[in-house]
Amino acid sequence: MPRKRNAHRSPDMPTLADVARLAGVSEITASRVVRAQGPIADSTRARVLTAIAELGYIPNRAAGTLASAGSTLMSVLLPSLSNIVFPDVLRGIHTALTETAFQPVIGVTDYDPLIEERILVSFLAWQPAAVIVAGLHHTPTARRHLEHGRFRVAELMDIDGEPVDIAVGMSHRQAGYETGKHLVQRGYRRFGYARHNVTTDDRASARYEGLCSALQEAGLSLVAEHCYPDASSTKAGRDALAILLAAHPDLDVVVFPNDDMAMGGIFHCMYAGIAVKEKLGIFGFNGLDIGQAMPMPLSTILSKRFLIGKTAAEKLLESRERPAEKTIINTGFDIIEGATA
Amino acid sequence: MPRKRNAHRSPDMPTLADVARLAGVSEITASRVVRAQGPIADSTRARVLTAIAELGYIPNRAAGTLASAGSTLMSVLLPSLSNIVFPDVLRGIHTALTETAFQPVIGVTDYDPLIEERILVSFLAWQPAAVIVAGLHHTPTARRHLEHGRFRVAELMDIDGEPVDIAVGMSHRQAGYETGKHLVQRGYRRFGYARHNVTTDDRASARYEGLCSALQEAGLSLVAEHCYPDASSTKAGRDALAILLAAHPDLDVVVFPNDDMAMGGIFHCMYAGIAVKEKLGIFGFNGLDIGQAMPMPLSTILSKRFLIGKTAAEKLLESRERPAEKTIINTGFDIIEGATA
DNA sequence: CTGTTAGCGCATTCAC
DNA sequence: GTGAATGCGCTAACAG
């Protein structure tokens, strides 16, 4: 005696077969209606749609994926969510995916390539249509998977390197360089730099290098730097600036790896009665709203996070097949003059 | 002649069958090794593991889900990612899920119950093991799905209501109430309130009501309120306060629906030369780091976003079956005295 | 501890 | 425009 169908699952989840039976058509016809694919007579479509509504049918994507060897998932691997930059990128991705059948699946790597690799593999188990990762630097294994998979790949934020498929972002090296040039031009000479401890944030490192090379071209170099022994935060910036100034009271400008820390720097100046800009220039990176809402808007660089996410997702949707040649999209950046440097 | 296996897919993706063949065992044995389930001889396990490594085998979760009627996905539906609150919740969820087989799938509802319903349905198509949503208020359809599905459900942030399965959060009504009591006790009498335009942010509304009822108990009421016609932001807070004060220069305290806007209020005071606290109290909500890093730390309420996310995910993992009785977990909140009220 | 059998729910292929 | 047959890759249920 054959075991009962659906023996080990809930009996009340209607399947395509139920829909087909109720509508008096074959499964494949019902399937075509669900997917809005292939020629269907209007009357047939109507009957199937009615049956779907009546049963409250929800298609089983696992079955669909298995049968068609391709899912509607887009894997998104981001270094962090605490840093508002990445939620912004995500919003961009979401915006591009609204009204499409695709759904993002998010993973957080904590800036650790090994974690990235681990999450990537677990995501690939879902046969994603596309994978979005941050940066161009991955473990060899991860890179191999990205190169050989049957899915599109977008590498975000950074364009200083060779992408697997598509890269969307800006040159962080250039941003650092332009920061240096801009500040030198404004008369600053004694530079300080306050970093934080995320050693694998390649973008911050690239900006740092760009800054140094701009200084070098001007016959200058960093007078002092301090590495805050913890993750980036406003408090980190505040404390780091206090320490920097204690050792080097003669600095005339301090560059921060991001706006959060730069805000902390400004808070220290407020606290210590230091005239920002006249006595000490403060420069950030990202162009967050909060910095621009201050009485003296933060001098910084506007990175286009939302645009990066949106552009990447849109590009990925253009074709399921990986094109022969790689694409690099430079979303650029803007210097925000502000009032703090 | 039978069609070639894998006719319509890439030929080079190894399957369990390949692993089993290479290891000289049956598919089910290989499957047991992959899932670390059931008794397996060490030597067998080793052979299978070797085969897996050699082939670079990645299990197909779509097939696994289909065969076992249950996925390892956890659907997470959040109102927004711009509001740092929700990334914090997500981090908590991620933390609880690390080292488990579960993966979060994120959707963003924009505070719109209809969008929530739409995304929920599309997520249910993946047979998630659990669903996390924000708040206790959903469309009737969404609520029906949540109630009748074969998955666990956690409703986050808010506990003022009847959950489907688990609720984790705090009473926002009470938070508003305590805010009012606290400020009255500190001598404030002429209250202003600066809201923003997200009408469906039930939590903010609940806090507003709690505040009003505390004032009423003290024989007071809001002197003025202003609704900023745009989404919440620091700039919104700054502008809203300017408008409020222009019409009501005699306010002695202004409550904001969140810290971002409260920071804007402080920036307006700095700009306009208003002595914060002595001349005008400023009170926020959330307890963001940046507010506490200011020279005068923001007076606010600490909501425990990370804890909410972490607790919810942990609870959901405790059992796959929905228990008979509903659970409500109150993570509470702390009043941060700060220096701005 | 290991294997055999029988599907999970859907989409592809080809025929009509 | 519609349908029948077939199998995607994996796992539940039992038997040994």
Side-chain angles (χ1 to χ4, degrees):
Chain A
M1 173 187 119
R3 209 175 323 119
K4 224 178 82 199
R5 169 179 166 280
N6 270 353
H8 60 286
R9 59 201 69 208
S10 113
D12 50 359
M13 284 253 292
T15 72
L16 200 53
D18 300 323
V19 172
R21 201 173 311 124
L22 183 59
V25 299
S26 71
E27 282 190 50
I28 184 61
T29 300
S31 171
R32 288 190 179 114
V33 172
V34 170
R35 284 173 300 141
Q37 219 227 61
I40 296 283
D42 284 348
S43 64
T44 310
R45 188 195 335 278
R47 281 213 318 287
V48 173
L49 255 19
T50 308
I52 286 175
E54 194 159 322
L55 295 173
Y57 168 71
I58 298 181
N60 182 330
R61 291 294 314 140
T65 299
L66 183 57
S68 71
S71 82
T72 53
L73 295 176
M74 190 175 283
S75 303
V76 182
L77 290 170
L78 300 176
S80 154
L81 291 172
S82 323
N83 188 337
I84 192 68
V85 163
F86 296 108
D88 281 348
V89 172
L90 254 186
R91 278 195 307 118
I93 294 171
H94 255 278
T95 300
L97 261 40
T98 308
E99 311 297 317
T100 77
F102 291 88
Q103 300 165 236
V105 188
I106 319 300
V108 178
T109 68
D110 242 331
Y111 290 95
D112 182 337
L114 262 84
I115 299 184
E116 182 185 77
E117 176 188 315
R118 191 164 56 71
I119 302 186
L120 175 63
V121 169
S122 84
F123 279 9
L124 294 187
W126 289 100
Q127 328 284 100
V131 174
I132 293 181
V133 292
L136 299 156
H137 173 234
H138 318 288
T139 67
T141 303
R143 173 104 196 176
R144 221 183 44 242
H145 280 130
L146 291 175
E147 268 166 354
H148 300 326
R150 275 176 57 75
F151 45 80
R152 301 298 306 274
V153 176
E155 292 168 283
L156 302 197
M157 314 315 287
D158 207 347
I159 56 169
D160 295 331
E162 186 67 23
V164 168
D165 177 0
I166 302 177
V168 184
M170 51 175 276
S171 167
H172 286 257
R173 202 176 187 296
Q174 196 194 339
Y177 179 82
E178 297 290 344
T179 298
K181 236 177 82 180
H182 176 78
L183 292 172
V184 167
Q185 196 173 6
R186 292 178 86 82
Y188 291 108
R189 290 297 174 267
R190 305 195 49 79
F191 282 73
Y193 192 87
R195 43 162 92 247
H196 58 88
N197 85 329
V198 177
T199 46
T200 49
D201 184 345
D202 306 325
R203 266 90 59 196
S205 305
R207 294 195 296 274
Y208 174 83
E209 280 163 27
L211 174 68
C212 290
S213 87
L215 295 188
Q216 194 161 19
E217 276 185 18
L220 299 170
S221 65
L222 280 182
V223 173
E225 56 186 286
H226 176 68
C227 179
Y228 191 76
D230 216 333
S232 165
S233 71
T234 306
K235 182 163 185 314
R238 190 175 166 179
D239 293 353
L241 182 56
I243 291 169
L244 265 179
L245 289 180
H248 301 270
D250 57 340
L251 292 174
D252 62 12
V253 64
V254 174
V255 177
F256 292 83
N258 57 50
D259 281 7
D260 307 70
M261 288 187 71
M263 295 280 293
I266 290 185
F267 291 158
H268 172 75
C269 291
M270 282 166 55
Y271 173 79
I274 299 166
V276 173
K277 183 169 182 177
E278 291 90 66
K279 186 82 189 349
L280 181 72
I282 300 281
F283 203 91
F285 178 81
N286 268 333
L288 302 189
D289 291 339
I290 192 168
Q292 301 311 307
M294 284 201 299
M296 36 169 43
L298 184 61
S299 298
T300 185
I301 283 188
L302 179 67
S303 63
K304 314 203 173 154
R305 289 97 53 188
F306 180 87
L307 181 64
I308 289 175
K310 181 156 171 287
T311 308
E314 281 168 356
K315 267 288 164 201
L316 289 175
L317 294 179
E318 278 180 9
S319 114
R320 274 207 87 125
E321 298 305 315
R322 216 174 277 194
E325 57 214 284
K326 306 172 188 314
T327 311
I328 295 182
I329 298 174
N330 187 353
T331 52
F333 56 85
D334 301 330
I335 293 187
I336 299 179
E337 262 200 29
T340 66
Chain B
M1 169 188 121
R3 211 178 321 120
K4 222 177 81 198
R5 168 177 166 284
N6 270 353
H8 59 289
R9 57 202 68 208
S10 109
D12 48 2
M13 285 251 291
T15 73
L16 243 198
D18 298 324
V19 172
R21 201 173 310 125
L22 184 57
V25 298
S26 70
E27 283 190 49
I28 186 65
T29 299
S31 171
R32 289 192 179 113
V33 171
V34 169
R35 286 173 298 142
Q37 220 226 59
I40 295 283
D42 284 350
S43 64
T44 311
R45 190 199 328 282
R47 282 215 316 288
V48 173
L49 254 20
T50 308
I52 287 174
E54 194 159 323
L55 294 172
Y57 168 71
I58 297 181
N60 183 330
R61 289 295 314 140
T65 299
L66 183 58
S68 70
S71 81
T72 53
L73 295 177
M74 189 175 284
S75 304
V76 181
L77 291 169
L78 299 176
S80 155
L81 290 173
S82 323
N83 189 336
I84 191 69
V85 163
F86 297 108
D88 280 347
V89 172
L90 255 186
R91 275 195 309 117
I93 294 171
H94 256 279
T95 300
L97 263 40
T98 307
E99 311 297 317
T100 77
F102 292 88
Q103 300 164 236
V105 189
I106 319 299
V108 179
T109 68
D110 244 329
Y111 291 94
D112 183 337
L114 264 83
I115 298 183
E116 182 185 76
E117 176 188 317
R118 192 165 54 70
I119 301 185
L120 175 63
V121 169
S122 84
F123 278 8
L124 294 187
W126 290 100
Q127 328 283 100
V131 174
I132 293 180
V133 292
L136 298 156
H137 173 234
H138 318 287
T139 67
T141 303
R143 173 104 194 176
R144 220 185 43 243
H145 279 130
L146 291 176
E147 269 165 355
H148 299 327
R150 277 176 55 75
F151 45 79
R152 301 299 306 274
V153 176
E155 292 168 284
L156 301 197
M157 315 315 288
D158 207 345
I159 56 170
D160 296 331
E162 185 67 21
V164 169
D165 177 1
I166 301 176
V168 184
M170 51 175 276
S171 166
H172 286 258
R173 203 178 186 294
Q174 196 194 339
Y177 179 81
E178 297 291 342
T179 298
K181 237 178 76 180
H182 176 79
L183 292 172
V184 168
Q185 196 173 3
R186 291 176 86 82
Y188 292 108
R189 290 296 175 268
R190 304 195 50 80
F191 282 73
Y193 191 87
R195 43 160 94 250
H196 58 89
N197 85 329
V198 177
T199 47
T200 50
D201 184 344
D202 306 324
R203 265 91 57 195
S205 305
R207 295 195 295 273
Y208 174 82
E209 281 163 25
L211 173 68
C212 290
S213 88
L215 295 188
Q216 197 162 16
E217 275 185 20
L220 300 170
S221 66
L222 281 182
V223 172
E225 55 186 289
H226 176 69
C227 179
Y228 191 77
D230 217 335
S232 165
S233 70
T234 305
K235 184 165 183 312
R238 188 175 168 179
D239 293 354
L241 183 57
I243 292 168
L244 265 178
L245 289 179
H248 302 270
D250 56 343
L251 292 175
D252 62 11
V253 64
V254 174
V255 177
F256 292 83
N258 57 49
D259 281 6
D260 308 72
M261 287 186 70
M263 294 281 293
I266 291 187
F267 292 158
H268 172 74
C269 292
M270 283 167 54
Y271 173 79
I274 299 167
V276 173
K277 184 170 182 177
E278 290 90 66
K279 188 81 187 352
L280 183 73
I282 300 280
F283 203 91
F285 178 81
N286 269 333
L288 303 189
D289 292 339
I290 193 167
Q292 301 311 307
M294 284 200 302
M296 37 168 44
L298 185 61
S299 299
T300 186
I301 282 186
L302 180 66
S303 63
K304 313 201 174 156
R305 290 95 57 188
F306 180 88
L307 181 64
I308 290 176
K310 181 155 170 287
T311 307
E314 282 168 355
K315 269 286 164 204
L316 290 175
L317 294 179
E318 278 180 7
S319 115
R320 273 207 86 126
E321 297 306 316
R322 216 175 278 194
E325 56 214 285
K326 305 171 189 315
T327 310
I328 295 183
I329 298 174
N330 187 353
T331 51
F333 56 84
D334 301 329
I335 293 188
I336 298 179
E337 261 198 30
T340 66

